[in-house]
């Protein structure tokens, strides 16, 4: 069985600290004026995708890892 996981990253060069991702998904918290994922690897995307879709500067990157 292949285990698929997703790596969740916030590009701090792009993040403008608006906080939208922390509202959209509880896997994001603010760290100073930048957002960061609580868990950088998740087994299902869940609200992480919504947070990425809702980020105004597309700072949230999601990669599949196997
Ligand atoms: Fe940063 Fe995007 Fe989250 Fe706003 S939604 S805090 S720009 S990662």
């Amino acid at each position: 069985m292949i285990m698929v996981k997703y790596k969740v990253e916030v590009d701090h060069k792009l993040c403008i600290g608006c906080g939208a991702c922390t509202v959209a998904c509880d896997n994001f918290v603010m760290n100073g004026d930048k957002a960061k994922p609580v868990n950088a690897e998740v087994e299902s995307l869940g609200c992480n995708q919504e947070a990425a879709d809702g980020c105004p500067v597309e700072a949230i990157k999601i990669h599949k890892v196997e």
Side-chain angles (χ1 to χ4, degrees):
M1 194 176 111
I2 297 170
M3 286 290 296
V4 178
K5 285 188 183 177
Y6 299 93
K7 192 175 231 180
V8 180
E9 295 173 310
V10 174
D11 186 335
H12 281 179
K13 294 193 298 292
L14 296 175
C15 176
I16 56 171
C18 70
C21 55
T22 68
V23 177
C25 186
D26 60 6
N27 193 36
F28 293 88
V29 292
M30 297 309 292
N31 182 28
D33 61 353
K34 305 289 180 179
K36 68 168 189 174
V38 177
N39 293 304
E41 263 189 14
V42 295
E43 289 183 6
S44 67
L45 280 179
C47 60
N48 290 281
Q49 186 63 56
E50 288 154 47
D53 292 344
C55 176
V57 293
E58 296 181 27
I60 299 172
K61 312 293 184 192
I62 297 174
H63 305 280
K64 202 188 253 189
V65 288
E66 286 172 20

